[in-house]
Amino acid sequence: GPFTYAFWARFRSLGPSVQGRNFDKTDAATGKLSLNSGQCVMRLSIGHTTTTLIVESTANYVDTSGAWNHYIMTWDGTTTASGSPMYKNGVRQTVYQRQQNAIGALQTDAARTLRWGNSQGGDRNANGDYADIAIWNVQLTDSEAMSLGNAKLRFMPVQIRPASLVRYFPFDDFTQGLAVTGSGSVIDRSKSRMYGSASNSPVGVADNNISYV
């Protein structure tokens, strides 16, 4: 069904083969859900039996200068690509280089674990840092997405449709310079409390773009 993925990111490069993966819940046969930041283009793919729904931003949408930016990807749950707007730093993107409608039934990804910052195969790591990852099981409105992207406030996601917020990883429990390891080491502050696990020992960093005030 519909969703909204929102996150702060500070990219330093596009990752292996310029195909860094922001989130991935794909199956080798279906490729249901993934968001790439390869070639400075943000690309959403949602697998259907005949034709995959694809939405691609314009060129140079992804900033690899090492600056923090806020990104939002949404999907309205339909086969129409125009129903999946992207937002960057609170601004809705109105021009896309590709919008491909889906054909056929939605593919299932029930057997897959959602991975952030890499592909299912572990070979497309995103080269950068993340903060304040939030996932809703609804499509946020323009005003909600803009408020979220402009606020620069920690815990802002819990103030926007909290009943529909299904995952929220602020990473505020990470210590700068120390590696994070182990199952359940990534705290989920949504009502779901579905703690995540860190792979490849990511290191905590300071994210001065977000305030606690």
Short mmCIF file of all heavy atoms in Angstrom, two decimals, residues 57-85:
data_model
loop_
_atom_site.label_atom_id
_atom_site.label_comp_id
_atom_site.label_asym_id
_atom_site.label_seq_id
_atom_site.Cartn_x
_atom_site.Cartn_y
_atom_site.Cartn_z
N SER A 57 14.31 11.19 -10.40
CA SER A 57 14.48 12.63 -10.30
C SER A 57 15.29 13.16 -11.47
O SER A 57 15.82 12.39 -12.28
CB SER A 57 15.20 12.97 -9.00
OG SER A 57 16.57 12.56 -9.08
N THR A 58 15.42 14.46 -11.54
CA THR A 58 16.29 15.06 -12.53
C THR A 58 17.75 14.82 -12.15
O THR A 58 18.06 14.42 -11.02
CB THR A 58 16.05 16.57 -12.62
OG1 THR A 58 16.17 17.14 -11.31
CG2 THR A 58 14.66 16.86 -13.16
N ALA A 59 18.65 15.06 -13.07
CA ALA A 59 20.08 14.89 -12.83
C ALA A 59 20.55 15.84 -11.72
O ALA A 59 20.00 16.93 -11.54
CB ALA A 59 20.86 15.16 -14.11
N ASN A 60 21.53 15.38 -10.97
CA ASN A 60 22.16 16.15 -9.88
C ASN A 60 21.21 16.46 -8.73
O ASN A 60 21.44 17.38 -7.94
CB ASN A 60 22.75 17.46 -10.42
CG ASN A 60 23.81 17.21 -11.47
OD1 ASN A 60 24.67 16.35 -11.30
ND2 ASN A 60 23.75 17.94 -12.57
N TYR A 61 20.14 15.68 -8.63
CA TYR A 61 19.20 15.81 -7.51
C TYR A 61 19.88 15.40 -6.20
O TYR A 61 19.67 15.99 -5.15
CB TYR A 61 17.99 14.94 -7.78
CG TYR A 61 16.94 14.88 -6.70
CD1 TYR A 61 15.99 15.90 -6.58
CD2 TYR A 61 16.87 13.80 -5.82
CE1 TYR A 61 15.01 15.83 -5.60
CE2 TYR A 61 15.89 13.74 -4.84
CZ TYR A 61 14.97 14.75 -4.75
OH TYR A 61 13.99 14.69 -3.78
N VAL A 62 20.72 14.38 -6.28
CA VAL A 62 21.44 13.89 -5.10
C VAL A 62 22.73 14.67 -4.93
O VAL A 62 23.56 14.74 -5.83
CB VAL A 62 21.74 12.38 -5.23
CG1 VAL A 62 22.56 11.90 -4.04
CG2 VAL A 62 20.45 11.59 -5.34
N ASP A 63 22.89 15.26 -3.77
CA ASP A 63 24.05 16.09 -3.46
C ASP A 63 25.15 15.20 -2.87
O ASP A 63 24.95 14.57 -1.84
CB ASP A 63 23.63 17.16 -2.46
CG ASP A 63 24.76 18.12 -2.11
OD1 ASP A 63 25.91 17.88 -2.51
OD2 ASP A 63 24.48 19.11 -1.40
N THR A 64 26.31 15.16 -3.52
CA THR A 64 27.43 14.34 -3.02
C THR A 64 28.57 15.21 -2.49
O THR A 64 29.70 14.78 -2.42
CB THR A 64 27.97 13.41 -4.12
OG1 THR A 64 28.38 14.21 -5.25
CG2 THR A 64 26.91 12.42 -4.56
N SER A 65 28.25 16.43 -2.09
CA SER A 65 29.28 17.36 -1.62
C SER A 65 29.64 17.14 -0.15
O SER A 65 30.56 17.77 0.36
CB SER A 65 28.80 18.80 -1.80
OG SER A 65 27.73 19.09 -0.90
N GLY A 66 28.90 16.27 0.52
CA GLY A 66 29.12 16.06 1.95
C GLY A 66 28.24 16.95 2.82
O GLY A 66 28.39 16.95 4.04
N ALA A 67 27.30 17.67 2.20
CA ALA A 67 26.36 18.50 2.96
C ALA A 67 25.12 17.69 3.32
O ALA A 67 24.72 16.77 2.58
CB ALA A 67 25.95 19.72 2.13
N TRP A 68 24.49 18.02 4.45
CA TRP A 68 23.26 17.35 4.86
C TRP A 68 22.08 17.87 4.03
O TRP A 68 21.94 19.08 3.81
CB TRP A 68 22.98 17.60 6.33
CG TRP A 68 23.83 16.81 7.27
CD1 TRP A 68 24.92 17.26 7.95
CD2 TRP A 68 23.64 15.45 7.66
NE1 TRP A 68 25.44 16.25 8.73
CE2 TRP A 68 24.67 15.13 8.58
CE3 TRP A 68 22.71 14.47 7.33
CZ2 TRP A 68 24.79 13.86 9.17
CZ3 TRP A 68 22.83 13.21 7.91
CH2 TRP A 68 23.85 12.92 8.81
N ASN A 69 21.24 16.95 3.57
CA ASN A 69 20.00 17.29 2.86
C ASN A 69 18.89 16.37 3.34
O ASN A 69 19.15 15.24 3.78
CB ASN A 69 20.17 17.13 1.35
CG ASN A 69 21.04 18.20 0.73
OD1 ASN A 69 20.58 19.29 0.42
ND2 ASN A 69 22.32 17.90 0.57
N HIS A 70 17.67 16.86 3.25
CA HIS A 70 16.52 16.05 3.65
C HIS A 70 15.78 15.58 2.40
O HIS A 70 15.46 16.37 1.52
CB HIS A 70 15.56 16.87 4.53
CG HIS A 70 14.50 16.05 5.17
ND1 HIS A 70 13.24 15.91 4.63
CD2 HIS A 70 14.51 15.30 6.30
CE1 HIS A 70 12.52 15.12 5.41
NE2 HIS A 70 13.26 14.73 6.43
N TYR A 71 15.51 14.27 2.33
CA TYR A 71 14.85 13.67 1.18
C TYR A 71 13.57 12.96 1.62
O TYR A 71 13.54 12.32 2.68
CB TYR A 71 15.76 12.65 0.50
CG TYR A 71 17.05 13.21 -0.04
CD1 TYR A 71 18.21 13.20 0.72
CD2 TYR A 71 17.11 13.76 -1.32
CE1 TYR A 71 19.41 13.71 0.23
CE2 TYR A 71 18.30 14.28 -1.83
CZ TYR A 71 19.45 14.24 -1.05
OH TYR A 71 20.63 14.76 -1.54
N ILE A 72 12.54 13.06 0.80
CA ILE A 72 11.29 12.34 1.04
C ILE A 72 10.85 11.70 -0.26
O ILE A 72 10.83 12.35 -1.32
CB ILE A 72 10.17 13.27 1.54
CG1 ILE A 72 10.56 13.94 2.87
CG2 ILE A 72 8.86 12.50 1.71
CD1 ILE A 72 9.53 14.94 3.37
N MET A 73 10.48 10.42 -0.18
CA MET A 73 9.88 9.71 -1.30
C MET A 73 8.52 9.19 -0.86
O MET A 73 8.40 8.63 0.25
CB MET A 73 10.77 8.55 -1.74
CG MET A 73 10.11 7.58 -2.72
SD MET A 73 9.47 8.38 -4.19
CE MET A 73 10.99 8.85 -4.99
N THR A 74 7.50 9.38 -1.69
CA THR A 74 6.18 8.88 -1.35
C THR A 74 5.62 8.02 -2.48
O THR A 74 6.09 8.09 -3.62
CB THR A 74 5.19 10.04 -1.09
OG1 THR A 74 4.85 10.67 -2.34
CG2 THR A 74 5.78 11.08 -0.14
N TRP A 75 4.63 7.23 -2.14
CA TRP A 75 3.89 6.43 -3.13
C TRP A 75 2.44 6.38 -2.70
O TRP A 75 2.15 6.16 -1.51
CB TRP A 75 4.47 5.02 -3.23
CG TRP A 75 3.78 4.13 -4.23
CD1 TRP A 75 3.43 4.45 -5.51
CD2 TRP A 75 3.36 2.78 -4.03
NE1 TRP A 75 2.82 3.38 -6.13
CE2 TRP A 75 2.77 2.34 -5.24
CE3 TRP A 75 3.42 1.90 -2.96
CZ2 TRP A 75 2.24 1.06 -5.39
CZ3 TRP A 75 2.91 0.63 -3.11
CH2 TRP A 75 2.33 0.20 -4.31
N ASP A 76 1.52 6.58 -3.65
CA ASP A 76 0.09 6.60 -3.30
C ASP A 76 -0.56 5.23 -3.40
O ASP A 76 -1.77 5.08 -3.19
CB ASP A 76 -0.66 7.61 -4.18
CG ASP A 76 -0.64 7.26 -5.67
OD1 ASP A 76 -0.05 6.21 -6.04
OD2 ASP A 76 -1.22 8.02 -6.46
N GLY A 77 0.22 4.21 -3.72
CA GLY A 77 -0.32 2.85 -3.77
C GLY A 77 -0.93 2.46 -5.10
O GLY A 77 -1.46 1.35 -5.23
N THR A 78 -0.87 3.34 -6.10
CA THR A 78 -1.45 3.04 -7.41
C THR A 78 -0.36 2.68 -8.41
O THR A 78 0.83 2.68 -8.09
CB THR A 78 -2.24 4.25 -7.95
OG1 THR A 78 -1.33 5.28 -8.37
CG2 THR A 78 -3.17 4.81 -6.89
N THR A 79 -0.77 2.41 -9.65
CA THR A 79 0.19 2.07 -10.71
C THR A 79 0.63 3.31 -11.49
O THR A 79 1.40 3.20 -12.44
CB THR A 79 -0.43 1.06 -11.69
OG1 THR A 79 -1.65 1.62 -12.23
CG2 THR A 79 -0.75 -0.25 -10.99
N THR A 80 0.18 4.49 -11.07
CA THR A 80 0.49 5.72 -11.78
C THR A 80 1.70 6.40 -11.18
O THR A 80 1.69 6.79 -10.00
CB THR A 80 -0.71 6.69 -11.75
OG1 THR A 80 -1.86 6.02 -12.29
CG2 THR A 80 -0.43 7.93 -12.58
N ALA A 81 2.76 6.57 -11.95
CA ALA A 81 4.02 7.12 -11.44
C ALA A 81 3.88 8.56 -10.96
O ALA A 81 4.60 8.99 -10.05
CB ALA A 81 5.10 7.03 -12.51
N SER A 82 2.98 9.31 -11.54
CA SER A 82 2.81 10.71 -11.14
C SER A 82 2.27 10.85 -9.72
O SER A 82 2.29 11.93 -9.15
CB SER A 82 1.87 11.43 -12.12
OG SER A 82 0.59 10.81 -12.13
N GLY A 83 1.82 9.73 -9.14
CA GLY A 83 1.34 9.74 -7.76
C GLY A 83 2.42 9.51 -6.74
O GLY A 83 2.13 9.23 -5.58
N SER A 84 3.70 9.64 -7.16
CA SER A 84 4.84 9.39 -6.27
C SER A 84 5.78 10.58 -6.26
O SER A 84 6.91 10.51 -6.75
CB SER A 84 5.60 8.13 -6.71
OG SER A 84 4.76 7.00 -6.72
N PRO A 85 5.36 11.70 -5.69
CA PRO A 85 6.24 12.88 -5.68
C PRO A 85 7.43 12.72 -4.74
O PRO A 85 7.36 12.02 -3.72
CB PRO A 85 5.32 14.01 -5.19
CG PRO A 85 4.29 13.31 -4.37
CD PRO A 85 4.06 11.99 -5.05
#
